[in-house]
Amino acid sequence: MSDIAIELKGIDKRFGLVHANKAIDLKVRKGTIHGIIGENGAGKSTLMSILYGFYQADSGEILIDGQPVTIKDPNAAIAAGIGMVHQHFMLVDNFTVLENVMLGAEDSQILNASIAKARVELKRLEREYALEVNPDALIEELPVGLQQRVEILKALYRKADILILDEPTGVLTPPEADHLFRILAQLKAQGKTIILITHKLREIMAITDEVSVMRRGEMVATRQTKATSVEELAELMVGRRVLLRVDKGPASPGAVKLKVENLTVRDGRGVTMVDNVSFELKAGEIVGIAGVAGNGQSELLEAISGIRRAAGGRVMLNGTAVDVTGKADPADLRQRGLAHVPEDRHHVGLVLKFEEAENAILGYHREPRYGRGPFLDIPAIRREAEEKIGRYDIRPPNPRLKTANFSGGNQQKIVLAREMERGPDVLIIGQPTRGVDVGAIEFIHKRIIEMRDQGVAVLLVSVELDEIRALSDRILVMFAGRVVGERGADAAEGELGLLMAGIDGKMEAAQ
Amino acid sequence: MDFYVSLIAILESTIRLSVPLLFAALAGLFTERAGVFDIGLEGKMLGSAFAAGAVAAVTGSVWLGLVAGILVSVALSLVHGYASITQRGSQIVSGVAINFVVAGATVILGEAWFRQGGRTPALSGGARFQTIDLPFVEALRDVPVIGPIYAQLLSGHFLLTYLAFAMVPLSWWVLYRTRFGLRLRAVGENPGAVDTAGISVVWMRYRAVICCGILTGFAGAYLSLAMTAGFVKGMTAGKGYIALAALIFAKWRPVNVMFACLLFGFLDALSIRLQGNPLPLIGQVPVQFMQALPYLLTVILLAGFIGKAIPPKAGGVPYVKER
C-alpha cells in the first residue's frame, strides 16, 4: 500500500505547435486535497484531461496506487477510480438529476431497475456527504451550485476515490464556493483524494494540503500549503523573467481621451466579470492594467472596444458617449479613433486563412482608398501591405502569403501595423507580446512608446507584470473584476504582486 | 347519415395517407433526438420504395421486397452517418445530396432494368401486401355507428399500417424507458456528457442513424408494396419533408408525432375528397388550390401555431472534443 494515490511521470503533450505539457511530474498523496495552480493556458486542464482519458499523452506514465495504468478513454479513468467535475458541466440540461447521475452507469437495458437503484444510492450519498439535491429536479431548473453538486454526485456514484475539480468556483458566488469547500473537506475526511485546479490563490490557501504550480506547460514547484505564502505562489505562477529594459522619457499627459465610469460586465452565465470599474486615460500616457489572468481584464477590453455588451456604466471616447450597454459597434468605434489590438489574435485579431494583405486591412476594408466601386482594389491593398511589411520588419516580406504561415511575433506585428498606422486617438492593446519571440518583443515595446510620444492614449493589458512595469506611466491592478489599486510606474514588484493576489499592501504593512 | 359516411371515408383515407409520414417522422425522431439532422428522409424513402418495388417485381415476394427496401434505406443512412458523424460534414448538405442522388438513380436504374419509363412492373398477388380484416368484421359491419368505425376505419388495412401505429408506443418506450433511449437523447443534447460518462458518441449516433434507416425503409416499402402496386418515379412527392415538418410540429415527441402525422394525412385526404366538389358558400375551388392546401397549412401551422419548438440542443453539430 503506497500513500501516493496518483503519480505522473514525464507527461508530455503537444497540440500541433503548442507544447501544452512539458515532461510533467506530479505526486498526489492519498486522502489530501492537492491544488494545481497556474494562469490560464498554463496547461493545467490539459494535464487533467490526460488523467481522465480525454487525450493521450505523447509520452509519460501514469501510476495509480503505485500501479502503472493506461488511461485510453474516460471509461478507463472511471474504472481506475477517477472522477472529474468539469469546468463546463457535462450535464444534460433537460434530464433530471437522477437521469444525469445514471447516464453511462445504468445496470441493464431497461431503466426501471436502474432508476430504483440509483434513487437508493443517491439517498445514501446524500446522507453520507451531506449533498442534498432533489433527484427528480430538471438540471436546467437548478442553480449552478446545485448543478455542480450533481457533477460531484455523478463521480461518487461511479465510486470515484480520486476527484478532479477543474476551476470549480469560476461559476459560483462566494457563498456557493464556501459551501463547495465544506463539501470537499467532508469528502477528504471520508478518505477521498481531491485534485483542485484553479488560478485563484485564495482557494489554494483556504483548502489545500499541498499545491503544485504550473507555468507555460511546466510544473515549476510543489509546496506544502502551510509552508508557502500567497506571495511565493504568485511569483511562481507569473514567473520572474529577465527584466525588460525599455528606453522612455517622461510622459506628458494631455486631455482625457477615454473615460470609463462604473463599468460592469457579466459573462454568458451572468457571473460578474468586471465590477464597477472607473478610470481615465489621457493623451500621451500609457496606463497598464496588471492582474492575474481571468480577473476581468479580458472582459473590460472587450466591453470598451464594443465586442461585448456591458451590463452597466458609461464610456466616453473623445468627449462623446459610447453606447457600451447597447449597440456600440467596433466598426463605428474605429472611425471615432479607437484602435484595438485584441488579446487573442488567432480568433479575434486575424483570419488565419487570409493573405497577409487581406488581414492588413481587415476592419478598415470599407475605406475608399481600398476600393473601386463595389470592388476591392487589390493592387493598392498589396502595395500598402508591402510598405507596412517594410516599416514593421514583418518576415517573410510577402503580402500574398497565408497569415497562418507567419510566426506568432510576425502575426502580432501584422495586427499592430494595421491598428497603429491608422493614427488612432486611443489604442487598446491586450497581451501585446503573448507568444512573441524576444526580438519582436523589443520592437513592439518601442512602437508602443512611440505611439505614446506621438500623443496617443494607450491602454495596455498584460499578464506579464514586467511588461506592465516597463511600459506603463500609471498602473491599475485588477482583482476579481475590480480595480483594487492604482500605483505609479515606480511601484515595487512585491507590492503589485500582493495587489494582484487580492491583498491590500498597505493594510498588510499596517498590521 | 350521408355526412357520416363521407366522414368515415375521409378518416379512413387519413389513416392510409398518414402511414408513410408516421414511419418517416418516427425515423427522423430517432436521428434528430441523437443530434443528427436528417433532411434526407425523402431520399431514403424513395430509395426504399424503388428497391422494394423492384425486388418484389423480380422475385414475386413481398417480404424480399420489404427486406430490400430496408437494406437500401439503411445503406443510405450509413452514408449520411459517415458524412456527418465520422467526417463531421454538414448534415444538411449530406441529406440534400442523398435526396438528389436517389431521385436520379431510381429513374435511371428503373429505366435500365424494366424499360417502363421509370416505373417498376405492376405488382399483384404475393408480390404485394394484402389488407387484413380484423376479427368479427362481418358480424359487426351492420351495427349502427360503431359498425362503420370498426369495419371501415379500423379493419381492412395493411399489416404495415398496424405496425406504423404500433411503432408509436414502442418508440416512446425505447426512447424513455431504456438505457439505449436515455443515451440516445443525451447524445442529442450534450454529447460531452455522454463522452465523459465513458460512452462512445460516434457509435451511439450511428445506432440512431441505423434505426432511422430501418423506419424509412418501412415507409418506402409501404408506398410501393402496399399503397400502390409498384414503384412510380418520384412517388414520395415531398412526404419526407412533410414528415420533417410533422416532427418539428410535434416538438420531437413520439405521441405528438402521431397526431401531427394524422393531421397532415387528414389535410391530404380532405384535399383529395374536395377536388371537383363545390364547397358550400364558396362554390367551385380550383383543384390546384386544394392540392396546395396541406402545404399551405403546414407553413401556417409551423409559422405560428405551435409555440416555440426547441430542437435537441446538439442537433446539427458534429461532435468534436473540446481542447
Side-chain angles (χ1 to χ4, degrees):
Chain A
M1 254 324 249
S2 114
D3 72 329
I4 303 293
I6 295 183
E7 182 169 4
L8 302 180
K9 285 183 183 168
I11 297 288
D12 212 88
K13 177 75 183 169
R14 285 171 191 274
F15 293 104
L17 289 173
V18 181
H19 202 165
N21 285 163
K22 300 176 191 165
I24 302 285
D25 292 322
L26 177 69
K27 281 184 188 171
V28 178
R29 256 171 244 290
K30 217 171 256 177
T32 62
I33 301 182
H34 193 113
I36 295 183
I37 194 162
E39 294 193 293
N40 292 344
K44 303 169 302 221
S45 290
T46 302
L47 187 65
M48 291 304 122
S49 293
I50 289 170
L51 194 49
Y52 194 63
F54 242 29
Y55 308 128
Q56 307 300 298
D58 298 334
S59 61
E61 214 185 344
I62 300 173
L63 289 85
I64 304 230
D65 291 335
Q67 300 297 315
V69 289
T70 33
I71 300 181
K72 63 176 196 330
D73 57 23
N75 251 338
I78 293 166
I82 300 173
M84 184 145 175
V85 175
H86 297 263
Q87 188 174 3
H88 304 289
F89 304 147
M90 292 298 178
L91 298 170
V92 181
D93 286 346
N94 58 1
F95 278 18
T96 64
V97 170
L98 201 61
E99 286 172 324
N100 269 290
V101 169
M102 214 166 52
L103 182 68
E106 314 91 338
D107 296 314
S108 58
Q109 283 294 344
I110 294 162
L111 288 182
N112 278 343
S114 308
I115 291 174
K117 194 193 129 188
R119 204 177 279 281
V120 173
E121 179 68 9
L122 266 184
K123 273 266 167 300
R124 190 184 69 77
L125 290 172
E126 266 186 42
R127 268 201 315 277
E128 200 164 324
Y129 301 103
L131 289 165
E132 295 91 13
V133 55
N134 172 11
D136 298 311
L138 288 178
I139 294 297
E140 59 199 359
E141 288 164 1
L142 295 177
V144 281
L146 282 181
Q147 291 186 8
Q148 188 171 57
R149 206 174 285 182
V150 177
E151 280 277 59
I152 296 173
L153 282 168
K154 259 170 77 176
L156 295 176
Y157 187 75
R158 288 162 171 74
K159 313 228 178 305
D161 289 319
I162 299 160
L163 204 58
I164 305 169
L165 293 105
D166 189 1
E167 302 281 1
T169 58
V171 293
L172 301 184
T173 61
E176 282 175 328
D178 289 340
H179 193 122
L180 173 69
F181 291 158
R182 283 202 294 280
I183 291 170
L184 294 184
Q186 172 89 9
L187 288 170
K188 177 180 134 183
Q190 305 259 0
K192 305 281 182 195
T193 306
I194 294 164
I195 300 179
L196 177 71
I197 305 171
T198 181
H199 61 257
K200 295 178 184 167
L201 289 161
R202 181 183 89 90
E203 294 170 6
I204 291 290
M205 300 310 287
I207 183 122
T208 63
D209 301 301
E210 277 182 287
V211 51
S212 296
V213 185
M214 285 188 78
R215 185 172 75 228
R216 296 190 192 92
E218 287 177 80
M219 189 62 79
V220 290
T222 296
R223 297 275 187 277
Q224 295 283 328
T225 308
K226 270 184 242 139
T228 186
S229 63
V230 170
E231 297 80 47
E232 186 192 23
L233 291 178
E235 190 185 306
L236 284 166
M237 249 169 94
V238 179
R240 209 182 266 285
R241 295 214 308 187
V242 184
L243 197 61
L244 299 157
R245 290 259 168 246
V246 182
D247 291 327
K248 63 168 188 180
S252 43
V256 173
K257 287 287 172 185
L258 182 77
K259 188 170 180 177
V260 174
E261 285 177 345
N262 308 104
L263 191 67
T264 297
V265 184
R266 299 201 179 92
D267 72 0
R269 303 187 77 140
V271 177
T272 300
M273 299 305 290
V274 177
D275 191 0
N276 211 7
V277 165
S278 304
F279 63 89
E280 283 183 353
L281 182 63
K282 299 193 182 83
E285 72 165 349
I286 299 176
V287 172
I289 296 185
V292 175
N295 276 292
Q297 306 97 309
S298 306
E299 290 77 9
L300 176 68
L301 287 195
E302 287 171 0
I304 295 176
S305 55
I307 298 173
R308 187 190 282 268
R309 189 169 296 183
R314 279 168 21 111
V315 173
M316 306 282 282
L317 175 63
N318 274 330
T320 48
V322 177
D323 188 11
V324 280
T325 54
K327 45 182 192 295
D329 164 43
D332 172 55
L333 290 175
R334 277 207 178 89
Q335 288 209 322
R336 289 165 60 181
L338 181 130
H340 177 209
V341 178
E343 289 185 307
D344 182 353
R345 60 177 168 266
H346 285 174
H347 291 113
V348 186
L350 296 165
V351 181
L352 291 178
K353 285 182 178 174
F354 279 17
E355 289 178 7
E356 194 275 344
E358 289 171 323
N359 270 307
I361 62 161
L362 219 58
Y364 301 98
H365 50 274
R366 288 200 194 85
E367 291 182 5
R369 64 177 141 160
Y370 300 129
R372 266 188 307 215
F375 302 104
L376 286 174
D377 186 351
I378 303 287
I381 291 168
R382 291 209 178 119
R383 262 198 313 279
E384 199 192 275
E386 267 169 22
E387 275 173 45
K388 282 188 203 155
I389 285 174
R391 264 203 306 274
Y392 283 79
D393 190 25
I394 295 168
R395 279 178 257 183
N398 177 4
R400 301 174 72 164
L401 190 67
K402 249 196 202 175
T403 310
N405 297 334
F406 288 88
S407 72
N410 284 298
Q411 288 176 356
Q412 185 70 333
K413 285 184 187 174
I414 296 170
V415 181
L416 285 167
R418 179 178 76 207
E419 303 299 336
M420 288 176 164
E421 290 291 295
R422 207 58 42 177
D425 297 318
V426 176
L427 178 63
I428 297 183
I429 310 182
Q431 318 300 346
T433 56
R434 179 181 280 173
V436 168
D437 51 287
V438 181
I441 290 178
E442 206 184 328
F443 178 87
I444 290 169
H445 285 172
K446 267 195 194 137
R447 285 294 300 153
I448 294 174
I449 300 289
E450 277 171 40
M451 293 299 284
R452 178 199 77 166
D453 292 343
Q454 287 161 21
V456 178
V458 181
L459 182 65
L460 171 75
V461 167
S462 174
V463 293
E464 305 291 350
L465 189 53
D466 289 340
E467 183 167 73
I468 293 280
R469 294 179 66 222
L471 293 177
S472 308
D473 301 310
R474 284 191 292 139
I475 299 171
L476 304 177
V477 182
M478 275 188 85
F479 174 76
R482 290 169 173 275
V483 171
V484 290
E486 179 179 337
R487 298 289 184 271
D490 52 354
E493 189 178 352
E495 188 186 2
L496 292 172
L498 283 177
L499 282 170
M500 285 164 66
I503 300 162
D504 193 317
K506 282 175 191 154
M507 275 171 55
E508 289 279 305
Q511 277 173 2
Chain B
M1 209 54 211
D2 198 30
F3 171 75
Y4 188 62
V5 170
S6 323
L7 182 69
I8 292 287
I10 289 177
L11 292 180
E12 192 271 333
S13 68
T14 295
I15 290 178
R16 215 157 27 81
L17 291 166
S18 48
V19 168
L21 296 181
L22 189 50
F23 273 125
L26 289 173
L29 181 71
F30 275 91
T31 50
E32 301 213 344
R33 268 303 179 98
V36 181
F37 281 159
D38 194 354
I39 207 163
L41 292 175
E42 174 85 2
K44 278 182 260 187
M45 217 195 305
L46 192 62
S48 156
F50 174 75
V55 169
V58 172
T59 63
S61 161
V62 67
W63 299 109
L64 287 178
L66 176 65
V67 169
I70 290 173
L71 285 180
V72 164
S73 172
V74 168
L76 289 169
S77 288
L78 290 175
V79 171
H80 183 56
Y82 179 73
S84 55
I85 304 168
T86 307
Q87 295 297 331
R88 296 171 191 153
S90 160
Q91 300 172 1
I92 302 299
V93 172
S94 159
V96 170
I98 285 173
N99 289 345
F100 275 105
V101 167
V102 173
T106 49
V107 176
I108 293 171
L109 292 176
E111 183 58 25
W113 291 344
F114 303 108
R115 310 215 165 274
Q116 296 187 8
R119 292 167 169 268
T120 61
L123 303 172
S124 58
R128 199 189 159 183
F129 278 109
Q130 305 298 326
T131 54
I132 298 170
D133 283 332
L134 296 181
F136 314 117
V137 125
E138 291 314 317
L140 285 167
R141 188 176 294 277
D142 294 326
V143 178
V145 186
I146 61 156
I149 290 181
Y150 186 74
Q152 235 191 309
L153 193 57
L154 300 180
S155 175
H157 288 288
F158 302 104
L159 180 65
L160 289 183
T161 308
Y162 298 113
L163 180 68
F165 284 91
M167 286 309 294
V168 175
L170 186 65
S171 299
W172 176 85
W173 185 79
V174 167
L175 283 174
Y176 291 92
R177 287 292 180 267
T178 68
R179 179 168 79 183
F180 173 72
L182 183 76
R183 293 176 175 185
L184 184 142
R185 285 182 293 127
V187 94
E189 291 291 331
N190 185 356
V194 174
D195 197 3
T196 51
I199 307 161
S200 162
V201 172
V202 168
W203 174 224
M204 225 24 253
R205 287 189 165 172
Y206 264 107
R207 285 198 280 174
V209 163
I210 291 169
C211 288
C212 166
I214 294 170
L215 286 166
T216 43
F218 279 115
Y222 176 85
L223 291 176
S224 63
L225 301 181
M227 201 152 96
T228 320
F231 174 82
V232 183
K233 86 173 182 191
M235 77 186 307
T236 45
K239 289 191 175 62
Y241 301 113
I242 296 281
L244 271 184
L247 183 60
I248 297 167
F249 185 47
K251 302 183 180 178
W252 293 270
R253 289 173 184 282
V255 177
N256 293 2
V257 161
M258 180 182 77
F259 286 116
C261 289
L262 282 171
L263 175 66
F264 287 125
F266 175 74
L267 292 173
D268 208 7
L270 197 64
S271 78
I272 293 170
R273 180 81 188 179
L274 293 179
Q275 272 171 35
N277 295 335
L279 283 178
L281 302 177
I282 302 168
Q284 194 73 32
V285 178
V287 175
Q288 289 82 356
F289 178 78
M290 294 316 299
Q291 284 169 340
L293 195 61
Y295 302 94
L296 281 176
L297 276 170
T298 306
V299 171
I300 293 165
L301 287 175
L302 286 182
F305 283 87
I306 55 166
K308 204 170 168 214
I310 301 161
K313 219 177 271 169
V317 188
Y319 178 61
V320 184
K321 274 185 193 182
E322 62 173 321
R323 242 209 61 188

